[in-house]
Amino acid sequence: FSIIKYFYQIGEFSKAYKLINNVDFTNHENSSYYEYLKMNYLLSTFQLEDVCIFKDQVKQELNSKSNYLDKIEIFCLIIQNKNLEADLLNSIMLETQNKNDDYYQELYLYLTNNYDDSNILKSLSDNTQADSDLLFLYSAMSRIAEIPLNEKFLNLDPSNMAIPIILNKSSPIDLRINAANQSFLDKKISIESLAALYQSVDFTSNQLNNYEDTILEFSGNNDILMSFYFQLVNIQIFPSERLDALIKFWDFAKNNNLEDIAY
């Protein structure tokens, strides 16, 4: 238990998951904790079919954690296009739950009604009441709905929420790069994956050709500027200009404690 909990707390979620998967914890006193971690790992890696299979094997006592199982069940019904059943179960949950979860309900409404409502999106983006026990469920629902995650998710659990944020293409690119930088430094993603994300930022030819103005434009946004300097190096044709761009990239990274990434 101590080893699995330690791996989870330092962000080595996949190691915790492998340990849980390789040992029979059926009658263990901490079995609910292992089930919770396993479910969250499946949600974080977007293995939704396995989520919906595994939920039927989980003990009901896990539901005491903010109606966790009920919300998983409702999410699975939505995925399976069983909106009437989802609506019924959600109504029952609302009548019996001990704690309101407005964040989940707004996600639920958005998913079931396909609202094109900027107010709901803004509310989800600004919401500070997200339940920390449900971060991975929220992230999976947001990815399905193509709703961006915000930095509050990363701040609540930076070790384990980084990968879901990187995978959520609706999230702001600077937040995804921030999460990717942390993940690379924690040895969770390769430098090739990080470079691909840097390269995906859509700078205009005008921004790349007038780099001094662009640096001023993004002043203070180190995540975007790392990507910009990286792309600036790659578009240089002549060796002297490429070397000059490399030196600028290195100096910027070193001044912002990102030299390991630049190297």
Side-chain angles (χ1 to χ4, degrees), residues 59-117:
K59 295 183 182 66
Q60 191 62 30
E61 60 194 79
L62 194 59
N63 209 38
S64 61
K65 194 184 289 288
S66 305
N67 291 90
Y68 184 75
L69 274 185
D70 287 342
K71 290 170 183 174
I72 295 286
E73 177 70 38
I74 292 166
F75 182 42
C76 288
L77 289 171
I78 294 170
I79 294 170
Q80 296 159 4
N81 293 316
K82 298 178 180 178
N83 286 0
L84 289 176
E85 293 177 47
D87 191 47
L88 175 60
L89 184 54
N90 190 58
S91 298
I92 295 170
M93 182 182 72
L94 286 172
E95 292 175 2
T96 57
Q97 67 184 1
N98 295 321
K99 178 182 175 184
N100 292 335
D101 185 354
D102 294 336
Y103 195 89
Y104 178 85
Q105 288 306 317
E106 288 182 333
L107 280 170
Y108 169 78
L109 287 173
Y110 193 89
L111 281 169
T112 53
N113 294 284
N114 196 25
Y115 283 165
D116 183 14
D117 189 329

Side-chain angles (χ1 to χ4, degrees), residues 156-194:
L156 279 169
D157 191 350
S159 297
N160 295 302
M161 281 305 301
I163 298 299
I165 286 172
I166 295 168
L167 295 174
N168 186 316
K169 294 182 180 180
S170 300
S171 295
I173 188 62
D174 54 343
L175 178 63
R176 294 177 67 206
I177 291 174
N178 186 341
N181 285 341
Q182 292 186 42
S183 294
F184 171 72
L185 294 172
D186 290 340
K187 297 181 172 58
K188 292 178 190 171
I189 65 171
S190 67
I191 195 61
E192 289 79 15
S193 297
L194 182 57

Side-chain angles (χ1 to χ4, degrees), residues 102-151:
D102 294 336
Y103 195 89
Y104 178 85
Q105 288 306 317
E106 288 182 333
L107 280 170
Y108 169 78
L109 287 173
Y110 193 89
L111 281 169
T112 53
N113 294 284
N114 196 25
Y115 283 165
D116 183 14
D117 189 329
S118 59
N119 289 330
I120 286 185
L121 289 175
K122 185 176 186 306
S123 175
L124 286 167
S125 178
D126 294 343
N127 200 306
T128 59
Q129 303 303 317
D131 191 325
S132 58
D133 288 334
L134 302 172
L135 288 182
F136 297 100
L137 174 58
Y138 294 148
S139 71
M141 294 176 76
S142 297
R143 190 172 171 191
I144 283 278
E146 298 184 346
I147 292 173
L149 298 175
N150 57 46
E151 63 182 345

